[in-house]
Amino acid sequence: MKVTERLLKAALPVWESYYTHPFVSGIADGTLPVDKFQFYMIQDHKYLMQYAKVFALGVIKSVKESDMRLFSGLITATLDTENAVHQSYLGRLGITKEMIEETPMCLNNESYTNYMISVSFKEGPAELATAVLACSWSYKLIGDFMETVPGSGEHPFYGNWIRTYTSREFRECNDTMIDLVDRLSEGYTEEQLQNLERILLHCSKYEYQFWDMAWTKGESYTP
C-alpha cells in the first residue's frame, strides 16, 4: 500500500462529511446565500496567501533542484490558477483590495494556516507536503461530488468555482501533490507514518471548521 493510500483511508470519512455540509451542498445546488460566499472568498483569499508560503518553505527545505522547482511551480499554481477564480469573484462581488486588507482573518483561518506553517518550519518536506494535501485532495473530491449534481457546473454564479475544482489543471496539480508525498515519505518508519496521519487529520478537521466558519460568517467565533 502506498503511503497516500493509507492517508486516504484515514481521512476519507472526514472528507466525505464535507459533502453534506450546508455550505458545500449549497454551492453544489446553487442555493448558498451570496453573502456567505462573499465572506468565504475573502477568508479563502487570505488562506491562499499563507498556503503559498508553505510551498515557499518547501523550496527552502528541498535538497534537490527538481524539488525546488516543483515547490516553486506549486506557488505559481496557487497564486495564478486558484487565485484567478478568487479575483474573478471578488470583482463580481465588488470586493476591493482595501476591503480584503482591512478584514481580519477569522480565528479558525489563522489557527489553521499557523498550524501548517508551524509543521513546515519544524518538520521535513514530507510532513510539509502532507499538511497541504488535506486542502488539495479534499477539494478535488468535492469537485468529484459536485459533478454528480445535475447542472452544478453550469450554474450562472457558482459554476465557475465548481469548474475550477473539476478542471484537468487542478486535478493534475493534486496528483502531483499525492506523488510528492509518496516520494518524500519513502522508507518512513511506522512512527513517522502515524505522524503523517496525525497531520493530515488535523488539517482535515480544520478544513471542516473552515466550512463552518464560512457558513456562520465567523459568528460562532465572536465572544
Side-chain angles (χ1 to χ4, degrees):
M1 179 185 291
K2 291 183 178 180
V3 169
T4 53
E5 290 174 344
R6 171 174 172 162
L7 295 179
L8 176 62
K9 184 178 179 180
L12 191 58
V14 181
W15 293 347
E16 289 180 335
S17 73
Y18 304 164
Y19 307 161
T20 55
H21 192 284
F23 191 94
V24 176
S25 62
I27 291 179
D29 63 20
T31 62
L32 180 71
V34 173
D35 63 310
K36 294 182 184 293
F37 188 74
Q38 181 182 49
F39 183 91
Y40 161 81
M41 290 303 295
I42 293 175
Q43 291 298 319
D44 202 41
H45 180 82
K46 289 177 173 291
Y47 170 89
L48 285 179
M49 298 304 101
Q50 303 305 309
Y51 194 75
K53 291 179 183 178
V54 174
F55 291 132
L57 288 168
V59 174
I60 293 172
K61 295 213 166 188
S62 294
V63 175
K64 298 180 179 179
E65 180 183 347
S66 58
D67 286 341
M68 293 178 67
R69 292 183 179 277
L70 192 156
F71 279 115
S72 177
L74 290 168
I75 297 172
T76 300
T78 301
L79 295 179
D80 293 347
T81 304
E82 281 205 80
N83 196 33
V85 72
H86 283 69
Q87 294 302 325
S88 171
Y89 275 110
L90 293 171
R92 292 171 70 181
L93 292 166
I95 300 170
T96 65
K97 181 180 179 181
E98 289 72 26
M99 290 171 65
I100 296 172
E101 291 176 348
E102 292 170 3
T103 302
M105 289 183 79
C106 282
L107 177 62
N108 167 259
N109 197 1
E110 187 169 4
S111 179
Y112 183 8
T113 53
N114 283 348
Y115 175 74
M116 288 194 296
I117 290 173
S118 175
V119 168
S120 303
F121 267 117
K122 294 176 181 178
E123 305 203 41
E127 289 75 17
L128 180 155
T130 299
V132 296
L133 187 60
C135 178
S136 175
W137 207 343
S138 69
Y139 266 67
K140 186 268 180 188
L141 293 177
I142 286 172
D144 291 347
F145 157 70
M146 290 187 175
E147 280 192 318
T148 69
V149 179
S152 63
E154 304 308 315
H155 189 274
F157 188 76
Y158 294 118
N160 187 31
W161 189 95
I162 294 169
R163 290 192 298 272
T164 297
Y165 297 108
T166 58
S167 68
R168 176 180 57 82
E169 292 80 7
F170 183 80
R171 285 169 170 166
E172 288 179 351
C173 186
N174 182 64
D175 287 341
T176 297
M177 288 301 307
I178 293 171
D179 292 342
L180 180 64
V181 171
D182 279 326
R183 180 165 57 79
L184 293 177
S185 61
E186 187 175 351
Y188 263 28
T189 65
E190 177 60 25
E191 182 179 2
Q192 288 174 307
L193 293 174
Q194 288 179 12
N195 185 45
L196 293 184
E197 284 187 10
R198 181 183 62 84
I199 292 169
L200 188 72
L201 286 171
H202 282 348
C203 290
S204 298
K205 291 172 183 176
Y206 271 126
E207 281 289 322
Y208 189 91
Q209 292 171 9
F210 201 102
W211 298 122
D212 266 350
M213 175 196 71
W215 178 252
T216 64
K217 297 172 63 176
E219 291 178 5
S220 60
Y221 297 96
T222 301

